[in-house]
Amino acid sequence: MPAPVREAPIRVLIAKPGLDGHDRGAKVVARALRDAGMEVIYAGLRQTPEEIVEAAIEEDVDLIGLSILSGAHMALFPKVMTLLKRRRATDIPVFAGGIIPDEDAARLRRLGLKAVFGPGTSLEQIVTTARGIARRRA
Amino acid sequence: MNGPPPLTPAARRILAKDRATLARVISAVENRDPAIVPTLRALFPRAGPARIIGITGPLGVGKSSVINALLAHLRGLGRSVGIIAVDPSSPFTGGSVLGDRIRLERRPGDPGVFIRSMASRGHAGGVAAATLEVTRLLAAFGMDIVLVETVGSGQVDVAIREIASTSVVVLVPHLGDEVQTLKAGLFEIADVFCVNKADLPGADLAAKDLRELVSLAASREGWRPRIVTASAREGRGIGELWAAIEAHEGYLDAGEARALAERRRISAELLGLVTERVEREVAEALASDPAVGQLLDRIVRREIDPHTAAAELAPPARRRSRRR
Ligand code: B12
Ligand SMILES: Nc1nc2c(ncn2[C@@H]2O[C@H](COP(=O)(O)OP(=O)(O)OP(=O)(O)O)[C@@H](O)[C@H]2O)c(=O)[nH]1
Ligand SMILES: [Mg+2]
């Protein structure tokens, strides 16, 4: 049966870099994006920046979402951005959330992260942002 | 035909093992982008039939974990491995959480592995509409073996048989009643049974029960399903599982079985592709036919029944599509 031809869903990779075991936020965000009609590749805990970038390329995602609550964001997020550059994949936008102080968030945005969210952010706002920044297909 | 069709730039990059291009072409196939057809055409004659191994079974039995263990085993043997892991899409929102990657050990930088998660996008039978075509892309990319994980579901999903050369049904100890409900379709699709989680009690008993069931069932075209107990968690039984899969592949190669299965597979695919075209053409033809509107009015007024109306419409529609 031919499936009805409809717009391609947005594909998002949700990953937790580093050793941080707090995964509630990442799971909540993954579910919210799914309920908004997106295909969410949930890569799980303890990912290295290399693994995240490789997965993003293999899965041809339109958006990468990173979650860290451990405080290691300034060590790990810039690495992801550097690797994306090295793999010529900077057309994949990145956003993030977790426990990230405002001054760090500002620096991360200067590094190219499209948005950084802290505790209590509404899922509606996260979904709207995701739709707004996801890569558009030609 | 004189020679294979010309290579497109994307086809050339896939043959040169460009991962990003492969990933984008897979998306185009999933999105049914007609612009990708010349690339598929170019690659088709350049990739032989790869070994496509289907891994199916109920929710949570350890399909992804078994694939992870097989992946390590096969990389140890120097074989390259493509993996397609299918998860269901929500029928309401179309969204999906694809979680099989969690169980797969990541090996960035290993050119001999390519993993792709795929949402079923409303396709029934435990796989996605694009799965078969993507197994071919992975073969063209140079993967020796393609492992396909189906959606985990309560019933037996037979669509994997139209894709895989060997189908492995993963079960766990103490499925009990569940095996009873699965039974009907099980023996039509299983070339190999894998009783996983053998680190838990009851695996030997489950294997014995299965063995009884298998001995009662008629052998299918000269093959009796093999039964292997394994623990993906402890890495036990994985060599035996691969040996059972290879035995089935050997059986396929020994006689006509592989050619027959390939023919059956392609005939199903062809039927699907032709149906899709005819359906589209007929729908377009009917939409532009003023007689249809009048017929609809008459059906609503109960002056004519839908069956008679369909018979009135069908022959001209067929003639019209043949003229093209
Ligand atoms: C629950 C919790 C735990 C649970 C975690 C359970 C789990 N599986 O997730 C347990 C008890 C295991 C735990 C353990 C620890 N915890 Co704790 N934990 C918390 C707590 C109270 C709540 C976190 C939570 O789940 N929130 C609910 C979710 C939904 O919110 P969220 O993750 O913030 O996500 C929201 C946003 O941040 C954003 N978001 C998050 N991720 C992403 C990703 C993307 C892409 C986007 C767009 C948005 C986004 O959107 C979400 C919705 O609004 C926080 C305190 C706090 N108030 O945040 C401490 C906290 C995070 N923990 C902390 C610590 C120190 C620890 C431990 C080290 C404690 C210890 N000494 O043992 C351990 C380490 C565990 C480990 N292995 O890493 C500290 C971290 C300090 C720091 N960063 O400097 C905190 C901040 C407490 C504190 N004030 O000290 N913890
Ligand atoms: N004890 C034990 N647990 C296992 C084994 N293999 C997998 N598991 C566990 O079973 C759970 C499900 O494993 P998965 O590999 O995700 O199972 P799956 O069949 O792929 O699941 P779905 O894709 O959701 O249908 C996880 O908690 C695994 O850790 C095993 O050999 N022994
Ligand atoms: Mg799985």
Side-chain angles (χ1 to χ4, degrees), chain A residues 13-16 19-29 33 46 64-73 95-99 115-123 126:
Chain A
L13 177 73
I14 297 289
K16 284 197 55 72
L19 302 176
D20 176 20
H22 295 91
D23 60 358
R24 273 193 210 161
K27 284 179 172 162
V28 165
V29 169
L33 297 177
R46 284 179 270 283
I64 299 173
L66 304 173
S67 179
I68 296 195
L69 285 78
S70 68
H73 47 272
F95 74 160
I99 306 289
V116 180
F117 296 112
T121 312
S122 80
L123 296 172
I126 290 170

Side-chain angles (χ1 to χ4, degrees), chain A residues 73-74 100-110 113 116:
Chain A
H73 47 272
M74 291 316 282
I100 298 166
D102 288 346
E103 60 272 25
D104 290 352
R107 282 166 64 198
L108 289 169
R109 274 192 290 267
R110 279 198 293 278
L113 270 86
V116 180

Side-chain angles (χ1 to χ4, degrees), chain A residues 18-88:
Chain A
L19 302 176
D20 176 20
H22 295 91
D23 60 358
R24 273 193 210 161
K27 284 179 172 162
V28 165
V29 169
R31 273 195 294 269
L33 297 177
R34 173 199 64 189
D35 293 342
M38 301 180 200
E39 290 181 359
V40 182
I41 294 100
Y42 184 69
L45 296 169
R46 284 179 270 283
Q47 303 259 303
T48 66
E50 287 79 7
E51 289 163 352
I52 290 168
V53 170
E54 189 69 47
I57 290 170
E58 280 185 355
E59 300 284 359
D60 189 30
V61 295
D62 307 304
L63 178 62
I64 299 173
L66 304 173
S67 179
I68 296 195
L69 285 78
S70 68
H73 47 272
M74 291 316 282
L76 293 164
F77 289 176
K79 267 198 196 141
V80 172
M81 302 312 283
T82 308
L83 283 170
L84 282 173
K85 225 173 268 162
R86 199 175 297 158
R87 297 291 301 266
R88 279 181 228 157

